Amino acid sequence: MVQENPKIQGLSIVLIGDFNPKIFQPAWFGMEGLIARKDVEDAEIQIVHPDIVKFNLKWLSFNVTRERLIVETAQEPYYEVMRDLVLGTFKILRHTPIKMMGINHTRHFLMDSEEEWHKFGDKLAPKECWKRILKKPGMRSLTIEDIRPDSFKGYIRVTVAPSVKTHPGVFFQVNDHFETKDPENTIGTDEIISILEHVWDDSSKRGKEIIKTILLENQ
Amino acid sequence: MSLTSLINDSIVPEETIVPEETAVGNQISPSKKHLQLIIDRDFSKELPREAVRSYLTKISFESEEKYVNTDIAKETHIVPEKGREFITLIESKPYKPDYFLSLQKWECSVIEVMKDYFIAKLVDLTEPGPDEQAEIPLEEVSPEDLDLIVPGAIFYWNIGYEDESNGQRKRTSIIRFRRLPAWSQSEIKEAQKEAEKFRKSLKWE
């Protein structure tokens, strides 16, 4: 049996586009009123460079290069706060070309025993055919992709793997991937920002539902 | 490790490093200097692409596997070439957040602000249900967010367990107010257009 609540969970938003990393400093977010002054003061800045900026707040990890921006949080109370930070940021920087977005839901679940853990892996990836040629096959990672259930361009990708955070445990990720209608010619943030505003609730529900179903169906 | 311990100094000029005062790892307390944007540096040399990528793969709290496109579970095992760690940065604690398990979660909007409390409408985000109303004492809100308590303001209220890095679990209530930039003229016009469309669809006189 797997424990009902995840041991660890998190959420990340990944944006692909053309960024100017140097803008994204805690001080800038503070000046724009997007984060509290205390957050600015407590920020741990790791690097500020034209090619990469990385800093952590108590509730957020922020990482941006010229092509990619990643925000992550492991604290559920801040999921919406993080979303608002992204929305607010790109409502201000509205001429930044952003062509893709991923909303990534992650969970680590603790299993009751190693036996259950192996059983779960065997159900997801049966080993019969592998045993003919391999000595002791084990599932390292499994990714399944699906078409989007809505009208947006993109896909949904679900990854299951042994957890590196909790043992015996299993790691899930649902990558809700969106693209603009014409990624190579996208100008500005409007399209992606609009997608983020509209899909948030559905994406959260879908992420939870997919993970719950895979867990329950394979026990 | 010193602040400027760069293995390959020729690639990253020293002046591209953020001021020492900001280094948490050096036990310098956070200061108002964080409020200064770093803009007056000479960033003439571009970092090699692999250096940027190698740094990206260093810290993630969720999985040992890394990034391809927007999927953070992939692009695994991209590590810097042995012996060539291009950018060694400010010594800093890795991102090891406290974990929080929400038992109950609401999205709320402020209806009315009184002297010591405010009245809010609560929409349950945990389980669908009827909207509720609550009186929330002002002392429940962080001092910095007090200015944000105005009618119509949105905030998120979470009640749950927080697992601290020292292993302790505590029951916690967290209120965070929404921080978004003011609406632009084009957004206001767009909203007015939407409202007009909606009004017409109701066929009210």
Side-chain angles (χ1 to χ4, degrees):
Chain A
M1 285 286 286
V2 65
Q3 295 187 357
E4 190 187 344
N5 290 319
K7 184 86 175 161
I8 301 166
Q9 62 176 327
L11 185 78
S12 67
I13 299 174
V14 179
L15 302 174
I16 307 291
D18 293 309
F19 303 101
N20 177 6
K22 216 167 61 167
I23 292 176
F24 300 94
Q25 300 177 39
W28 179 82
F29 290 104
M31 283 190 281
E32 294 292 348
L34 295 169
I35 58 175
R37 191 182 168 87
K38 184 84 172 77
D39 283 330
V40 178
E41 289 173 355
D42 291 348
E44 289 179 12
I45 299 172
Q46 294 185 302
I47 182 171
V48 174
H49 185 278
D51 289 326
I52 183 166
V53 168
K54 185 166 171 55
F55 65 85
N56 296 329
L57 306 181
K58 284 196 169 146
W59 51 276
L60 176 92
S61 160
F62 191 99
N63 192 329
V64 58
T65 63
R66 291 189 185 273
E67 301 90 21
R68 192 190 318 252
L69 182 147
I70 304 167
V71 285
E72 303 180 288
T73 183
Q75 300 192 43
E76 200 179 347
Y78 294 94
Y79 287 1
E80 282 76 20
V81 180
M82 184 175 81
R83 174 203 58 188
D84 291 347
L85 180 66
V86 173
L87 289 174
T89 299
F90 291 104
K91 281 186 175 178
I92 295 168
L93 303 173
R94 55 193 293 268
H95 298 298
T96 309
I98 303 178
K99 56 185 178 185
M100 294 178 197
M101 173 179 68
I103 303 174
N104 297 294
H105 309 269
T106 53
R107 306 270 192 284
H108 293 257
F109 289 91
L110 182 63
M111 311 292 277
D112 277 350
S113 64
E114 283 219 10
E115 196 189 348
E116 293 288 332
W117 185 57
H118 285 300
K119 207 171 111 188
F120 183 79
D122 288 342
K123 275 195 98 172
L124 274 181
K127 306 298 181 305
E128 281 65 36
C129 74
W130 298 103
K131 279 180 182 166
R132 285 179 207 143
I133 189 70
L134 301 179
K135 280 184 187 165
K136 203 178 170 190
M139 190 190 93
R140 184 68 186 80
S141 171
L142 175 75
T143 300
I144 300 288
E145 188 173 304
D146 194 10
I147 56 168
R148 293 212 56 79
D150 46 39
S151 59
F152 295 109
K153 199 171 166 186
Y155 53 77
I156 291 170
R157 204 177 270 175
V158 184
T159 299
V160 187
S163 170
V164 293
K165 300 288 180 192
T166 180
H167 186 79
V170 59
F171 166 76
F172 287 87
Q173 180 179 277
V174 177
N175 170 227
D176 219 345
H177 177 91
F178 301 87
E179 293 178 17
T180 55
K181 285 175 191 150
D182 183 6
E184 293 316 309
N185 296 300
T186 301
I187 301 166
T189 63
D190 289 356
E191 200 175 337
I192 284 292
I193 287 305
S194 166
I195 294 172
L196 180 58
E197 280 176 325
H198 285 97
V199 302
W200 182 262
D201 290 343
D202 287 343
S203 178
S204 301
K205 279 180 205 154
R206 186 164 45 241
K208 273 183 197 162
E209 195 58 36
I210 290 171
I211 293 170
K212 190 176 155 191
T213 305
I214 297 169
L215 266 180
L216 293 178
E217 293 287 322
N218 291 285
Q219 285 196 45
Chain B
M1 188 190 301
S2 79
L3 174 67
T4 55
S5 64
L6 303 173
I7 289 177
N8 191 339
D9 285 328
S10 65
I11 293 172
V12 185
E14 200 166 305
E15 61 268 25
T16 62
I17 303 301
V18 294
E20 195 156 1
E21 292 85 346
T22 62
V24 175
N26 287 359
Q27 302 301 312
I28 295 166
S29 61
S31 72
K32 285 178 184 173
K33 288 183 179 173
H34 279 111
L35 289 171
Q36 292 172 355
L37 278 173
I38 301 165
I39 51 174
D40 56 347
R41 304 279 153 177
D42 175 14
F43 292 121
S44 57
K45 291 183 184 174
E46 196 172 316
L47 280 177
R49 198 173 183 77
E50 60 270 32
V52 175
R53 287 170 70 85
S54 71
Y55 191 72
L56 264 181
T57 63
K58 275 199 164 179
I59 298 167
S60 177
F61 60 88
E62 290 303 345
S63 167
E64 67 180 6
E65 302 188 337
K66 296 299 162 189
Y67 305 92
V68 152
N69 271 348
T70 62
D71 184 353
I72 66 160
K74 289 293 164 190
E75 202 168 299
T76 179
H77 309 310
I78 300 169
V79 291
E81 193 183 334
K82 207 171 181 185
R84 276 178 67 83
E85 194 176 340
F86 292 104
I87 39 176
T88 303
L89 305 157
I90 297 168
E91 188 176 5
S92 173
K93 287 178 282 184
Y95 182 49
K96 281 189 179 167
D98 296 338
Y99 294 107
F100 191 103
L101 174 67
S102 277
L103 299 172
Q104 192 75 45
K105 186 173 179 175
W106 295 274
E107 182 175 304
C108 319
S109 56
V110 176
I111 297 172
E112 200 176 351
V113 185
M114 315 306 271
K115 188 170 171 263
D116 300 321
Y117 65 93
F118 60 99
I119 302 167
K121 185 180 93 170
L122 279 52
V123 178
D124 196 332
L125 297 180
T126 318
E127 294 290 335
D131 294 351
E132 297 164 84
Q133 267 196 25
E135 286 180 10
I136 302 172
L138 291 176
E139 61 194 23
E140 290 277 330
V141 178
S142 308
E144 262 202 288
D145 280 355
L146 289 174
D147 289 345
L148 302 173
I149 308 176
V150 293
I154 303 289
F155 65 97
Y156 308 103
W157 186 13
N158 278 262
I159 294 172
Y161 293 121
E162 188 174 1
D163 289 331
E164 295 176 300
S165 46
N166 61 12
Q168 292 295 306
R169 170 171 277 197
K170 62 181 184 190
R171 201 177 170 103
T172 311
S173 161
I174 296 179
I175 290 177
R176 286 293 291 225
F177 271 77
R178 189 173 207 194
R179 289 172 177 269
L180 282 179
W183 285 36
S184 65
Q185 278 306 314
S186 64
E187 282 175 313
I188 292 169
K189 275 185 190 158
E190 192 59 35
Q192 283 170 338
K193 242 165 47 183
E194 279 292 311
E196 184 60 19
K197 220 162 83 181
F198 183 62
R199 192 188 67 79
K200 281 181 180 163
S201 73
L202 293 174
K203 296 189 169 59
W204 283 351
E205 291 304 316

